[in-house]
Amino acid sequence: ILEGILRPERRRRRRRRKRRGGKEAGGLPGHAGGGRDVPPYHRGGFEEGGERVRAGRGGHPAAEEAEEEGEGDPDPVGLAAEELGIPVLCPERARDPEFLDALENDVRPDLCITAAYGQYLPKRFLAAPTYGTVNIHPSLLPRWRGASPVQRSLEAGDNPVGVSVLFTVSKMDAGPIISQRSCEIDDDEQATTLLPSLFDVGTDLLLESIPDVLGGKITMDTAAAQDEDGAVNADMIDSSEGELRVWRQSAATCHDKCRGFSMWPGTYMFFRIGDDDDLEPLRVKVLRTRVVEETAAPTDVAALGPKKKDGLRVVCGDGSVLELLQVQPATKKAMDAKSFVNGMRGAKIRWV
């Protein structure tokens, strides 16, 4: 009944190798490998992974052969499909006529399920499944519709966050909601761990909802309509947003941005080492932070906190204090803040 999962080919392709004669071959058509070339959810867009369509009642036998460049690990769903002999369709675009013909005439799905699919689904696709297309979206809709819901929710300091299962319509993430669950999170939760956690919750919600969808109890007409007045867009993230502008942003704002952008694009600051203002500032990635409860007089000098395990403390323009716990200077490996300071051999560290 779960007719399968549709997924587009990405910019770079890899040669598909089939399993033949008991010989193992790696790879799947349309797999770009780890999302290096296309922004996934953790890169400001949609998570690399998407969906695939497998043959249903019509038993469509053909999986598109694709010559692909690049490297990467095949995803578990695709590997399982190959081992079970389930055909996989990998259209370059969801609107490709040949793909839509196969979907309508050969696959003839009862239900389509999508998650983190980065393309617009045309009306012809949406009209194909008998019971509609159902999507898992990692936000409490109608808040954070669009490409970067987890990043934007963390950046905004939302708590609780959540996940929605909804019917797909032409307007992005605007379909009626089948099921929704909110989740309280820790103040230090990062997108790196939150995104997979929310999809785990969403998968449970989906499996709980499918019987009611297939039984006709939940339909496009009976599912809960979204409140358009509460809609907030989760715009795609630009890499330039990753700079922590502590002179005009509070410690809480910077901390939330660090949490939200942990997967991509990351956050960073510029520091001048020593007293020579002619030296080029050092760009430092900021990997983990925390907000210090007390405030301090504004200063551009960063220093370690008084306790042994304290990080590098930065006083923001409003007097709030951001503590950098883990950093990565340009060309260096990630390290704790104390190691970074020790490497400066006593030189003054100032943010710029």
Side-chain angles (χ1 to χ4, degrees):
I1 295 175
L2 294 181
E3 301 280 349
I5 322 183
L6 165 72
R7 158 195 191 129
E9 292 176 325
R10 300 301 189 181
R11 294 178 188 171
R12 309 189 76 184
R13 298 178 178 177
R14 193 162 81 90
R15 183 180 301 277
R16 184 186 184 204
R17 300 186 296 255
K18 292 184 177 180
R19 294 179 182 270
R20 287 178 177 169
K23 295 182 179 180
E24 183 168 333
L28 295 167
H31 185 72
R36 289 193 298 268
D37 302 307
V38 176
Y41 261 124
H42 53 274
R43 287 195 169 195
F46 289 86
E47 180 182 27
E48 164 65 18
E51 298 80 43
R52 297 181 180 270
V53 174
R54 62 178 252 203
R57 291 169 300 203
H60 183 61
E64 178 184 354
E65 293 290 340
E67 289 191 355
E68 304 176 327
E69 300 174 356
E71 295 297 332
D73 297 326
D75 66 73
V77 174
L79 278 177
E82 282 204 337
E83 291 190 356
L84 294 171
I86 299 171
V88 177
L89 303 180
C90 298
E92 186 171 354
R93 300 290 177 191
R95 64 174 181 270
D96 286 353
E98 291 184 1
F99 163 70
L100 292 173
D101 287 344
L103 185 69
E104 293 171 338
N105 301 324
D106 299 323
V107 178
R108 292 182 292 146
D110 295 306
L111 179 69
C112 287
I113 297 169
T114 65
Y117 187 67
Q119 289 189 36
Y120 174 77
L121 294 175
K123 291 182 180 180
R124 189 177 166 193
F125 176 95
L126 297 177
T130 304
Y131 297 98
T133 296
V134 174
N135 179 46
I136 302 173
H137 185 80
S139 84
L140 294 174
L141 291 169
R143 187 167 173 82
W144 305 125
R145 292 176 178 175
S148 311
V150 173
Q151 291 96 323
R152 295 303 186 190
S153 61
L154 289 176
E155 182 191 17
D158 288 359
N159 195 7
V161 295
V163 62
S164 305
V165 175
L166 67 153
F167 284 109
T168 301
V169 296
S170 295
K171 187 175 181 180
M172 180 178 290
D173 301 325
I177 295 173
I178 297 170
S179 184
Q180 194 171 72
R181 184 171 296 167
S182 62
C183 307
E184 295 283 345
I185 59 173
D186 186 87
D187 290 339
D188 296 322
E189 181 89 54
Q190 293 194 333
T192 312
T193 54
L194 180 58
L195 178 64
S197 175
L198 288 179
F199 272 112
D200 284 344
V201 174
T203 299
D204 290 339
L205 288 181
L206 172 70
L207 294 176
E208 292 170 6
S209 302
I210 284 176
D212 287 339
V213 172
L214 296 179
K217 183 177 179 180
I218 300 178
T219 66
M220 291 276 283
D221 295 327
T222 61
Q226 294 190 36
D227 178 9
E228 291 297 320
D229 291 338
V232 179
N233 290 331
D235 297 329
M236 290 189 69
I237 298 168
D238 187 90
S239 59
S240 64
E241 294 182 62
E243 183 175 5
L244 300 181
R245 297 178 172 89
V246 295
W247 58 92
R248 70 182 187 193
Q249 295 173 333
S250 69
T253 297
C254 292
H255 176 63
D256 289 338
K257 180 174 288 190
C258 181
R259 298 192 299 133
F261 294 1
S262 65
M263 300 177 79
W264 191 91
T267 52
Y268 60 91
M269 292 181 64
F270 289 96
F271 291 97
R272 180 164 281 120
I273 310 302
D275 295 318
D276 188 350
D277 290 343
D278 293 330
L279 287 178
E280 189 74 17
L282 175 67
R283 176 171 166 148
V284 178
K285 291 183 180 179
V286 179
L287 305 179
R288 288 194 306 112
T289 61
R290 77 178 183 94
V291 178
V292 179
E293 292 184 4
E294 63 261 28
T295 60
T299 177
D300 63 352
V301 177
L304 289 173
K307 298 180 181 179
K308 185 176 180 179
K309 294 185 178 181
D310 284 348
L312 183 64
R313 295 189 172 185
V314 174
V315 182
C316 298
D318 65 351
S320 60
V321 180
L322 178 71
E323 188 167 279
L324 313 187
L325 302 176
Q326 187 179 34
V327 298
Q328 184 176 4
T331 74
K332 303 291 185 179
K333 294 182 179 180
M335 62 186 72
D336 60 72
K338 187 173 183 179
S339 297
F340 170 67
V341 173
N342 289 342
M344 298 300 107
R345 300 181 181 275
K348 184 183 294 184
I349 301 172
R350 294 177 293 160
W351 58 257
V352 294

